[in-house]
Coordinates of all heavy atoms in Angstrom, one line a residue:
M27 N -99.3 -80.9 208.5 CA -98.6 -80.0 207.6 C -97.1 -79.8 208.0 O -96.9 -79.5 209.2 CB -99.2 -78.7 207.4 CG -98.7 -77.9 206.2 SD -99.8 -76.6 205.9 CE -98.8 -75.2 206.2
E28 N -96.1 -80.1 207.1 CA -94.8 -80.1 207.4 C -94.3 -78.6 207.5 O -94.6 -77.7 206.8 CB -93.9 -80.8 206.5 CG -92.6 -81.2 207.0 CD -91.8 -82.1 206.1 OE1 -92.5 -83.3 206.0 OE2 -90.8 -81.8 205.5
E29 N -93.6 -78.3 208.6 CA -92.9 -76.9 208.8 C -91.9 -76.7 207.9 O -90.9 -77.5 207.6 CB -92.5 -76.8 210.3 CG -92.5 -75.3 210.8 CD -92.2 -75.3 212.3 OE1 -92.5 -76.4 212.9 OE2 -91.6 -74.4 212.6
K30 N -91.7 -75.5 207.2 CA -90.7 -75.2 206.3 C -89.4 -74.9 207.1 O -89.4 -74.4 208.1 CB -91.0 -73.9 205.5 CG -90.2 -73.6 204.4 CD -90.7 -72.6 203.5 CE -89.7 -72.3 202.3 NZ -90.2 -71.3 201.3
T31 N -88.3 -75.5 206.5 CA -87.0 -75.3 207.2 C -86.6 -73.9 207.2 O -86.7 -73.2 206.1 CB -85.9 -76.2 206.5 OG1 -86.3 -77.5 206.7 CG2 -84.6 -75.9 207.1
C32 N -86.0 -73.4 208.1 CA -85.6 -72.0 208.3 C -84.2 -71.9 208.7 O -83.9 -72.7 209.8 CB -86.5 -71.1 209.2 SG -85.9 -69.4 209.3
I33 N -83.3 -71.3 208.1 CA -81.9 -71.3 208.5 C -81.6 -69.8 209.1 O -81.8 -68.8 208.3 CB -80.9 -71.6 207.4 CG1 -81.1 -73.1 207.1 CG2 -79.4 -71.4 207.9 CD1 -80.2 -73.6 206.0
L34 N -81.3 -69.7 210.3 CA -81.0 -68.4 210.9 C -79.5 -68.3 210.9 O -78.7 -69.0 211.4 CB -81.6 -68.4 212.4 CG -83.0 -68.5 212.6 CD1 -83.5 -68.5 214.1 CD2 -83.8 -67.4 211.8
I35 N -79.2 -67.0 210.5 CA -77.7 -66.6 210.5 C -77.4 -65.5 211.3 O -77.9 -64.4 211.0 CB -77.1 -66.4 209.0 CG1 -77.4 -67.7 208.1 CG2 -75.6 -66.1 209.0 CD1 -78.6 -67.5 207.2
C36 N -76.8 -65.6 212.5 CA -76.6 -64.4 213.4 C -75.9 -63.3 212.7 O -74.9 -63.5 212.0 CB -75.8 -64.9 214.6 SG -75.4 -63.7 215.7
Q37 N -76.4 -62.1 212.8 CA -75.8 -61.0 212.2 C -75.4 -60.0 213.3 O -75.2 -58.8 213.1 CB -76.7 -60.3 211.2 CG -77.0 -61.2 210.0 CD -75.8 -61.5 209.2 OE1 -75.2 -60.6 208.6 NE2 -75.5 -62.7 209.1
N38 N -75.4 -60.4 214.5 CA -75.1 -59.4 215.7 C -73.6 -59.2 215.7 O -72.9 -59.9 214.9 CB -75.6 -60.1 217.0 CG -75.8 -59.1 218.0 OD1 -76.1 -57.9 217.7 ND2 -75.7 -59.5 219.2
R39 N -73.1 -58.4 216.5 CA -71.8 -57.8 216.3 C -70.6 -58.8 216.4 O -69.8 -58.8 215.5 CB -71.6 -56.9 217.6 CG -70.3 -56.0 217.6 CD -70.2 -55.0 218.6 NE -71.0 -55.3 219.8 CZ -71.1 -54.4 220.8 NH1 -70.6 -53.3 220.8 NH2 -71.8 -54.8 221.8
T40 N -70.7 -59.7 217.3 CA -69.6 -60.6 217.4 C -69.4 -61.6 216.2 O -68.3 -61.7 215.6 CB -69.6 -61.5 218.6 OG1 -69.8 -60.6 219.8 CG2 -68.4 -62.4 218.9
C41 N -70.6 -62.1 215.8 CA -70.6 -63.0 214.6 C -70.3 -62.2 213.3 O -69.6 -62.7 212.4 CB -71.9 -63.7 214.4 SG -72.1 -65.1 215.5
K42 N -70.7 -60.9 213.4 CA -70.3 -60.1 212.2 C -68.9 -59.9 212.0 O -68.3 -59.9 210.9 CB -71.1 -58.7 212.2 CG -72.0 -58.5 211.0 CD -72.7 -57.2 211.0 CE -73.6 -57.2 209.8 NZ -74.6 -56.4 209.8
K43 N -68.2 -59.7 213.1 CA -66.6 -59.5 213.1 C -66.1 -60.8 212.6 O -64.9 -60.8 212.1 CB -66.2 -59.2 214.5 CG -66.4 -57.7 215.0 CD -65.7 -57.6 216.3 CE -66.1 -56.3 216.8 NZ -65.8 -56.1 218.3
Q44 N -66.7 -61.9 212.7 CA -66.1 -63.2 212.4 C -66.6 -63.7 210.9 O -66.5 -64.8 210.5 CB -66.6 -64.3 213.4 CG -66.0 -64.0 214.7 CD -66.6 -64.8 215.9 OE1 -67.8 -65.1 215.8 NE2 -65.9 -65.1 216.9
G45 N -67.3 -62.8 210.3 CA -67.6 -62.9 208.8 C -69.1 -63.4 208.5 O -69.3 -64.0 207.5
A46 N -70.0 -63.1 209.5 CA -71.4 -63.5 209.3 C -72.0 -62.9 208.1 O -72.9 -63.7 207.5 CB -72.2 -63.2 210.6
A47 N -71.7 -61.7 207.7 CA -72.4 -61.1 206.5 C -72.0 -62.0 205.2 O -72.9 -62.2 204.4 CB -71.9 -59.7 206.3
D48 N -70.8 -62.5 205.2 CA -70.4 -63.3 204.1 C -71.2 -64.6 204.1 O -71.6 -65.1 203.0 CB -68.9 -63.6 204.0 CG -68.0 -62.4 203.8 OD1 -68.6 -61.5 203.2 OD2 -66.9 -62.5 204.1
I49 N -71.5 -65.1 205.3 CA -72.2 -66.5 205.4 C -73.6 -66.2 204.9 O -74.2 -66.9 204.1 CB -72.3 -67.0 206.8 CG1 -70.8 -67.1 207.3 CG2 -73.0 -68.2 206.9 CD1 -70.0 -68.0 206.5
L50 N -74.3 -65.1 205.3 CA -75.7 -64.8 204.9 C -75.7 -64.6 203.3 O -76.5 -65.2 202.7 CB -76.2 -63.5 205.6 CG -77.5 -63.2 205.2 CD1 -78.6 -64.3 205.5 CD2 -77.9 -61.9 206.0
T51 N -74.7 -64.0 202.8 CA -74.6 -63.7 201.4 C -74.5 -65.1 200.7 O -75.1 -65.3 199.7 CB -73.4 -62.9 200.9 OG1 -73.7 -61.6 201.6 CG2 -73.3 -62.7 199.6
A52 N -73.7 -65.9 201.2 CA -73.5 -67.3 200.5 C -74.8 -68.1 200.6 O -75.1 -68.7 199.6 CB -72.4 -68.1 201.3
F53 N -75.6 -67.9 201.7 CA -76.8 -68.7 201.7 C -77.8 -68.1 200.7 O -78.5 -68.9 200.0 CB -77.5 -68.6 203.2 CG -77.0 -69.7 204.1 CD1 -76.2 -69.4 205.1 CD2 -77.4 -71.0 203.9 CE1 -75.7 -70.4 206.0 CE2 -77.0 -72.0 204.9 CZ -76.2 -71.7 205.8
R54 N -77.9 -66.8 200.7 CA -78.8 -66.2 199.8 C -78.5 -66.4 198.3 O -79.3 -66.5 197.4 CB -79.0 -64.6 200.1 CG -79.7 -64.4 201.3 CD -79.9 -63.0 201.6 NE -80.8 -62.8 202.7 CZ -80.9 -61.8 203.6 NH1 -80.1 -60.8 203.3 NH2 -81.7 -61.7 204.5
T55 N -77.1 -66.5 198.0 CA -76.6 -66.7 196.6 C -77.2 -68.1 196.1 O -77.6 -68.3 195.0 CB -75.2 -66.7 196.5 OG1 -74.8 -65.3 197.0 CG2 -74.7 -66.9 195.2
L56 N -77.0 -69.1 197.0 CA -77.6 -70.5 196.6 C -79.1 -70.5 196.5 O -79.6 -71.2 195.8 CB -77.0 -71.5 197.6 CG -75.5 -71.7 197.5 CD1 -75.0 -72.7 198.6 CD2 -75.1 -72.2 196.0
N57 N -79.8 -69.9 197.4 CA -81.2 -69.6 197.4 C -82.0 -70.8 196.9 O -82.6 -70.9 195.9 CB -81.5 -68.5 196.4 CG -83.0 -67.9 196.7 OD1 -83.5 -68.2 197.7 ND2 -83.5 -67.5 195.5
I58 N -82.1 -71.9 197.9 CA -82.9 -73.1 197.6 C -84.3 -72.7 198.1 O -84.5 -72.3 199.3 CB -82.3 -74.2 198.4 CG1 -80.9 -74.4 198.2 CG2 -83.2 -75.5 198.2 CD1 -80.5 -74.7 196.8
S59 N -85.4 -72.9 197.3 CA -86.6 -72.4 197.5 C -87.4 -73.1 198.7 O -88.2 -72.5 199.2 CB -87.5 -72.5 196.2 OG -87.7 -73.8 195.9
E60 N -87.0 -74.3 199.0 CA -87.6 -75.0 200.1 C -87.2 -74.5 201.5 O -87.7 -74.9 202.5 CB -87.3 -76.5 200.2 CG -87.6 -77.2 198.8 CD -86.5 -77.2 197.9 OE1 -85.3 -77.7 198.1 OE2 -86.7 -76.8 196.7
I61 N -86.1 -73.6 201.5 CA -85.6 -73.2 202.8 C -85.6 -71.6 202.9 O -85.4 -70.9 201.9 CB -84.2 -73.6 202.8 CG1 -84.1 -75.1 202.9 CG2 -83.6 -73.1 204.1 CD1 -82.6 -75.7 202.8
N62 N -86.1 -71.1 204.0 CA -86.1 -69.7 204.3 C -84.7 -69.4 205.0 O -84.2 -70.1 205.8 CB -87.1 -69.3 205.2 CG -88.5 -69.3 204.6 OD1 -88.7 -69.2 203.5 ND2 -89.5 -69.4 205.4
Y63 N -84.0 -68.3 204.5 CA -82.8 -67.8 205.1 C -83.0 -66.5 205.7 O -83.5 -65.7 205.1 CB -81.7 -67.7 204.0 CG -81.5 -69.0 203.2 CD1 -82.1 -68.9 202.0 CD2 -80.8 -69.9 203.7 CE1 -82.0 -70.0 201.3 CE2 -80.7 -71.1 202.9 CZ -81.3 -71.2 201.6 OH -81.1 -72.3 200.9
E64 N -82.7 -66.4 207.0 CA -82.8 -65.1 207.6 C -81.7 -64.7 208.5 O -81.2 -65.5 209.2 CB -84.1 -65.2 208.6 CG -85.4 -65.4 207.9 CD -86.5 -65.6 208.9 OE1 -86.4 -65.1 210.1 OE2 -87.6 -66.2 208.4
G65 N -81.3 -63.4 208.4 CA -80.3 -62.9 209.4 C -81.1 -62.6 210.6 O -82.2 -62.5 210.7
C66 N -80.3 -62.8 211.8 CA -81.1 -62.8 213.0 C -80.1 -62.1 214.1 O -78.9 -61.9 213.8 CB -81.6 -64.2 213.5 SG -80.2 -65.3 214.1
G67 N -80.7 -61.8 215.3 CA -79.9 -61.2 216.3 C -79.1 -62.3 217.0 O -79.1 -63.6 216.6
C68 N -78.5 -61.9 218.1 CA -77.6 -62.8 218.8 C -78.3 -64.2 219.2 O -79.3 -64.2 219.8 CB -77.1 -62.2 220.1 SG -76.0 -63.3 221.0
L69 N -77.6 -65.3 218.8 CA -78.1 -66.7 219.1 C -77.5 -67.2 220.5 O -77.8 -68.4 220.8 CB -77.8 -67.6 218.0 CG -78.5 -67.3 216.6 CD1 -78.0 -68.2 215.5 CD2 -80.0 -67.6 216.8
G70 N -76.8 -66.4 221.2 CA -76.4 -66.8 222.5 C -75.1 -67.6 222.5 O -74.7 -68.2 223.6
N71 N -74.4 -67.7 221.4 CA -73.2 -68.4 221.4 C -72.0 -67.6 220.8 O -71.2 -68.0 219.9 CB -73.4 -69.7 220.4 CG -73.9 -70.8 221.2 OD1 -73.4 -71.4 222.1 ND2 -75.2 -71.1 220.8
C72 N -71.9 -66.3 221.2 CA -71.0 -65.5 220.7 C -69.6 -66.1 221.0 O -69.4 -66.7 222.0 CB -71.1 -64.1 221.4 SG -72.7 -63.5 221.7
G73 N -68.6 -65.9 220.1 CA -67.4 -66.4 220.4 C -67.1 -67.7 219.6 O -66.0 -68.2 219.4
N74 N -68.3 -68.3 219.1 CA -68.2 -69.5 218.3 C -68.7 -69.1 216.9 O -69.0 -70.2 216.1 CB -69.1 -70.6 219.0 CG -68.4 -71.2 220.2 OD1 -67.3 -71.3 220.3 ND2 -69.3 -71.3 221.2
G75 N -68.8 -67.8 216.6 CA -69.4 -67.5 215.3 C -68.5 -67.6 214.2 O -67.2 -67.9 214.3
P76 N -69.0 -67.5 213.0 CA -70.4 -67.1 212.7 C -71.3 -68.4 213.2 O -71.0 -69.5 212.8 CB -70.5 -67.0 211.3 CG -69.1 -66.6 210.9 CD -68.2 -67.3 211.8
M77 N -72.4 -68.1 213.8 CA -73.3 -69.1 214.2 C -74.6 -69.2 213.3 O -75.0 -68.2 212.8 CB -73.9 -68.8 215.7 CG -73.0 -68.9 216.8 SD -72.3 -70.6 217.1 CE -73.8 -71.5 217.2
V78 N -74.9 -70.5 213.1 CA -76.1 -70.8 212.2 C -76.9 -71.8 213.0 O -76.4 -72.7 213.6 CB -75.6 -71.3 210.9 CG1 -76.8 -71.9 210.1 CG2 -74.7 -70.3 210.1
L79 N -78.2 -71.6 212.8 CA -79.3 -72.5 213.6 C -80.3 -72.9 212.6 O -80.9 -72.0 211.9 CB -79.9 -71.8 214.7 CG -81.1 -72.5 215.4 CD1 -80.6 -73.8 216.0 CD2 -81.7 -71.6 216.5
V80 N -80.5 -74.2 212.3 CA -81.4 -74.7 211.5 C -82.8 -75.1 212.2 O -82.6 -75.9 213.2 CB -80.9 -75.9 210.7 CG1 -82.0 -76.5 209.8 CG2 -79.6 -75.6 210.0
L81 N -83.8 -74.5 211.9 CA -85.1 -74.9 212.5 C -86.0 -75.5 211.5 O -85.9 -75.3 210.4 CB -85.8 -73.5 213.0 CG -85.0 -72.7 214.1 CD1 -85.5 -71.4 214.4 CD2 -84.9 -73.6 215.4
P82 N -87.0 -76.4 212.0 CA -87.3 -76.7 213.4 C -86.5 -77.7 213.9 O -86.7 -78.1 215.1 CB -88.8 -77.2 213.2 CG -88.9 -77.8 211.9 CD -87.8 -77.0 211.1
A83 N -85.4 -78.3 213.2 CA -84.7 -79.4 213.7 C -83.8 -79.0 214.9 O -83.2 -79.8 215.5 CB -83.9 -80.0 212.5
R84 N -83.6 -77.7 215.0 CA -82.7 -77.2 216.0 C -81.1 -77.7 216.0 O -80.6 -78.1 217.0 CB -83.2 -77.4 217.5 CG -84.6 -76.7 217.7 CD -85.1 -76.6 219.1 NE -84.2 -75.9 219.9 CZ -84.3 -74.5 220.0 NH1 -85.1 -73.9 219.2 NH2 -83.5 -73.8 220.7
I85 N -80.7 -77.7 214.8 CA -79.3 -78.1 214.5 C -78.4 -76.9 214.5 O -78.7 -75.9 213.7 CB -79.2 -78.9 213.2 CG1 -80.1 -80.1 213.3 CG2 -77.7 -79.3 212.9 CD1 -80.2 -80.9 212.0
W86 N -77.4 -76.9 215.3 CA -76.5 -75.8 215.4 C -75.2 -76.0 214.6 O -74.6 -77.1 214.7 CB -76.1 -75.5 216.9 CG -77.2 -75.1 217.7 CD1 -78.1 -75.9 218.3 CD2 -77.6 -73.8 218.2 NE1 -79.0 -75.2 219.1 CE2 -78.7 -73.9 219.1 CE3 -77.0 -72.5 217.9 CZ2 -79.3 -72.7 219.6 CZ3 -77.7 -71.4 218.4 CH2 -78.8 -71.5 219.3
Y87 N -74.7 -74.9 214.0 CA -73.4 -74.9 213.3 C -72.7 -73.7 213.8 O -73.2 -72.6 214.1 CB -73.6 -74.9 211.8 CG -74.3 -76.0 211.1 CD1 -75.6 -76.0 211.0 CD2 -73.5 -77.1 210.8 CE1 -76.3 -77.1 210.4 CE2 -74.2 -78.2 210.2 CZ -75.5 -78.2 210.0 OH -76.1 -79.3 209.4
Y88 N -71.4 -74.0 214.1 CA -70.6 -72.9 214.6 C -69.3 -72.8 213.8 O -69.0 -73.7 213.1 CB -70.3 -73.1 216.1 CG -69.6 -74.3 216.5 CD1 -68.2 -74.5 216.5 CD2 -70.3 -75.5 216.7 CE1 -67.6 -75.7 216.8 CE2 -69.8 -76.7 217.0 CZ -68.3 -76.8 217.0 OH -67.8 -77.9 217.3
H89 N -68.7 -71.7 213.9 CA -67.5 -71.3 213.1 C -67.7 -71.7 211.5 O -66.9 -72.1 210.9 CB -66.2 -72.0 213.6 CG -65.9 -71.8 215.0 ND1 -65.6 -70.5 215.5 CD2 -65.6 -72.6 216.1 CE1 -65.3 -70.5 216.7 NE2 -65.3 -71.7 217.1
V90 N -68.9 -71.2 211.1 CA -69.2 -71.6 209.8 C -68.4 -70.8 208.7 O -68.2 -69.5 209.0 CB -70.8 -71.3 209.6 CG1 -71.2 -71.4 208.2 CG2 -71.6 -72.2 210.4
R91 N -68.0 -71.3 207.7 CA -67.2 -70.6 206.7 C -68.1 -70.7 205.4 O -68.9 -71.6 205.3 CB -65.9 -71.4 206.5 CG -64.9 -71.4 207.7 CD -63.9 -72.5 207.6 NE -64.6 -73.8 207.4 CZ -63.9 -74.9 206.9 NH1 -62.7 -74.9 206.6 NH2 -64.6 -76.0 206.8
P92 N -67.9 -69.7 204.5 CA -68.6 -69.8 203.2 C -68.6 -71.1 202.6 O -69.6 -71.6 202.0 CB -67.9 -68.6 202.4 CG -67.4 -67.7 203.4 CD -66.9 -68.6 204.6
Q93 N -67.5 -71.8 202.6 CA -67.5 -73.2 202.0 C -68.3 -74.2 202.6 O -68.5 -75.2 202.0 CB -66.0 -73.6 201.7 CG -65.2 -73.8 203.0 CD -64.4 -72.5 203.3 OE1 -64.8 -71.4 203.1 NE2 -63.2 -72.7 203.9
D94 N -68.8 -74.0 203.9 CA -69.7 -74.9 204.6 C -71.1 -74.8 204.2 O -71.8 -75.6 204.4 CB -69.5 -74.6 206.1 CG -68.1 -74.8 206.6 OD1 -67.4 -75.7 206.1 OD2 -67.8 -74.1 207.6
V95 N -71.5 -73.7 203.6 CA -72.8 -73.3 203.3 C -73.6 -74.4 202.4 O -74.6 -74.9 202.8 CB -73.0 -72.0 202.7 CG1 -74.3 -71.7 202.1 CG2 -72.6 -70.9 203.8
S96 N -73.0 -74.8 201.4 CA -73.6 -75.8 200.6 C -73.9 -77.1 201.3 O -74.9 -77.8 201.2 CB -72.9 -76.0 199.2 OG -71.7 -76.5 199.4
K97 N -72.9 -77.5 202.2 CA -73.1 -78.7 203.0 C -74.2 -78.6 204.0 O -74.9 -79.6 204.2 CB -71.8 -79.1 203.8 CG -70.6 -79.5 202.9 CD -69.4 -79.8 203.7 CE -68.1 -79.2 203.1 NZ -67.1 -79.1 203.9
I98 N -74.3 -77.5 204.6 CA -75.4 -77.2 205.5 C -76.7 -77.3 204.8 O -77.7 -77.9 205.4 CB -75.2 -75.8 206.3 CG1 -74.0 -75.8 207.1 CG2 -76.5 -75.5 207.1 CD1 -73.5 -74.5 207.7
I99 N -76.8 -76.7 203.6 CA -78.1 -76.8 202.9 C -78.5 -78.2 202.5 O -79.6 -78.7 202.7 CB -78.0 -75.9 201.7 CG1 -78.1 -74.3 202.1 CG2 -79.1 -76.2 200.7 CD1 -77.8 -73.5 200.9
T100 N -77.4 -79.0 202.1 CA -77.7 -80.3 201.7 C -78.2 -81.1 203.0 O -79.2 -81.9 202.8 CB -76.4 -81.0 201.2 OG1 -76.1 -80.2 200.0 CG2 -76.6 -82.5 200.8
A101 N -77.5 -81.0 204.1 CA -77.9 -81.6 205.3 C -79.4 -81.3 205.7 O -80.2 -82.1 206.1 CB -76.9 -81.4 206.4
S102 N -79.7 -80.0 205.5 CA -80.9 -79.5 206.0 C -82.1 -80.1 204.9 O -83.2 -80.4 205.5 CB -81.0 -78.0 206.0 OG -80.1 -77.5 206.9
T103 N -81.7 -80.2 203.7 CA -82.7 -80.6 202.7 C -82.9 -82.1 203.0 O -84.1 -82.6 202.9 CB -82.2 -80.4 201.3 OG1 -81.9 -79.1 201.2 CG2 -83.2 -80.9 200.3
E104 N -81.9 -82.9 203.2 CA -82.0 -84.3 203.5 C -82.8 -84.6 204.8 O -83.6 -85.4 204.9 CB -80.7 -85.0 203.7 CG -79.9 -85.1 202.4 CD -78.4 -85.6 202.7 OE1 -78.0 -85.6 203.7 OE2 -77.7 -85.8 201.5
K105 N -82.7 -83.7 205.8 CA -83.4 -83.9 207.1 C -84.9 -83.6 206.7 O -85.8 -84.3 207.2 CB -83.0 -82.7 208.0 CG -83.4 -82.9 209.3 CD -82.6 -83.9 210.2 CE -83.1 -84.1 211.6 NZ -82.5 -85.2 212.1
C106 N -85.2 -82.6 205.8 CA -86.6 -82.3 205.5 C -87.3 -83.6 204.8 O -88.4 -84.0 205.2 CB -86.8 -81.2 204.5 SG -86.5 -79.7 205.3
E107 N -86.5 -84.3 204.0 CA -87.1 -85.4 203.2 C -87.3 -86.6 204.0 O -88.2 -87.3 203.7 CB -86.1 -85.6 201.9 CG -86.3 -84.5 200.9 CD -85.2 -84.7 199.9 OE1 -84.4 -85.6 200.0 OE2 -85.1 -83.8 199.0
S108 N -86.5 -86.7 205.0 CA -86.5 -88.0 205.8 C -87.6 -87.9 206.9 O -87.8 -88.9 207.6 CB -85.2 -88.3 206.5 OG -84.8 -87.3 207.4
T109 N -88.1 -86.7 207.2 CA -89.2 -86.6 208.3 C -90.5 -86.7 207.8 O -90.8 -86.4 206.6 CB -88.9 -85.3 209.1 OG1 -89.0 -84.2 208.3 CG2 -87.6 -85.2 209.8
Ligands
FES208 S1 -73.2 -62.4 218.2 FE1 -73.7 -64.3 217.1 S2 -74.3 -65.7 218.6 FE2 -74.0 -63.9 219.7

């Protein structure tokens, strides 16, 4: 059984100062049903935020901007279909 893709968006202090709340809102607005979106605690890459981690592929995105969100979703969906 294939594991559902989960996108974690750090909502800890440093990423929040860098706009992480807007990134989480952008993911939730697009709301693709095949993917879970979750705010999470520090991902250990403070200073490169907002940080996003796609699981189970373990693909990291840093300095994410709201305009990057649809590209991340597209890449994550393609990854799902090819595996
Ligand atoms: S605060 Fe986001 S990675 Fe640490």
